[in-house]
Amino acid sequence: QVQLVESGGGLVQAGGSLRLSCAASGRTFSSYGMGWFRQAPGKERKFVAGISWSSDCTYYTDSVKGRFTISRDNAKNTVYLQMNTLKPEDTAVYYCAMKKGRASRSCIWASMDYWGQGTQVTVPS
């Protein structure tokens, strides 16, 4: 099995920054793509950012472009989400997820194979 553990969430004022981390452990794969999703209260979970295994492909949803940066350190089996200029509408539980196999060459996926437990990000209005 694969375990994904997010960290770095918290409460930050509007305009501030946070860096989320997601560490993968357990069963390993030769390559895997990673994504960040978020779910606000009463809303569906949405794809925020994705990164391919080699980091040559990254994707951002329009609402976070220019503010969020996804990156990864394959030696540490860790993916990051640097979030700058945070807004109240960024408040949500943030989840990391893994896509294994050939799909790891992409950075956008219709479904994911493994999920973390989530970390809360709160930006008060």
Side-chain angles (χ1 to χ4, degrees), residues 102-119:
R102 286 188 176 184
S104 64
R105 287 180 243 171
S106 180
C107 51
I108 308 175
W109 308 278
S111 64
M112 306 300 282
D113 297 310
Y114 302 97
W115 291 87
Q117 82 290 347
T119 186

Side-chain angles (χ1 to χ4, degrees), residues 47-63:
F47 189 29
V48 175
I51 187 167
S52 62
W53 168 253
S54 60
S55 300
D56 59 351
C57 177
T58 57
Y59 166 84
Y60 299 94
T61 193
D62 285 346
S63 61

Side-chain angles (χ1 to χ4, degrees), residues 4-71:
L4 301 176
V5 179
E6 302 98 335
S7 61
L11 187 149
V12 62
Q13 297 303 312
S17 298
L18 282 175
R19 188 175 85 152
L20 305 183
S21 299
C22 173
S25 62
R27 182 180 177 183
T28 58
F29 302 100
S30 59
S31 62
Y32 52 88
M34 293 295 294
W36 285 97
F37 295 74
R38 67 186 181 186
Q39 187 168 20
K43 296 187 177 180
E44 294 184 351
R45 187 159 53 188
K46 294 185 177 181
F47 189 29
V48 175
I51 187 167
S52 62
W53 168 253
S54 60
S55 300
D56 59 351
C57 177
T58 57
Y59 166 84
Y60 299 94
T61 193
D62 285 346
S63 61
V64 307
K65 284 180 181 177
R67 301 188 298 122
F68 290 12
T69 302
I70 189 170
S71 62

Side-chain angles (χ1 to χ4, degrees), residues 82-95:
Q82 178 67 43
M83 306 186 295
N84 298 329
T85 318
L86 282 160
K87 304 176 181 180
E89 50 263 43
D90 295 318
T91 295
V93 177
Y94 284 71
Y95 300 89

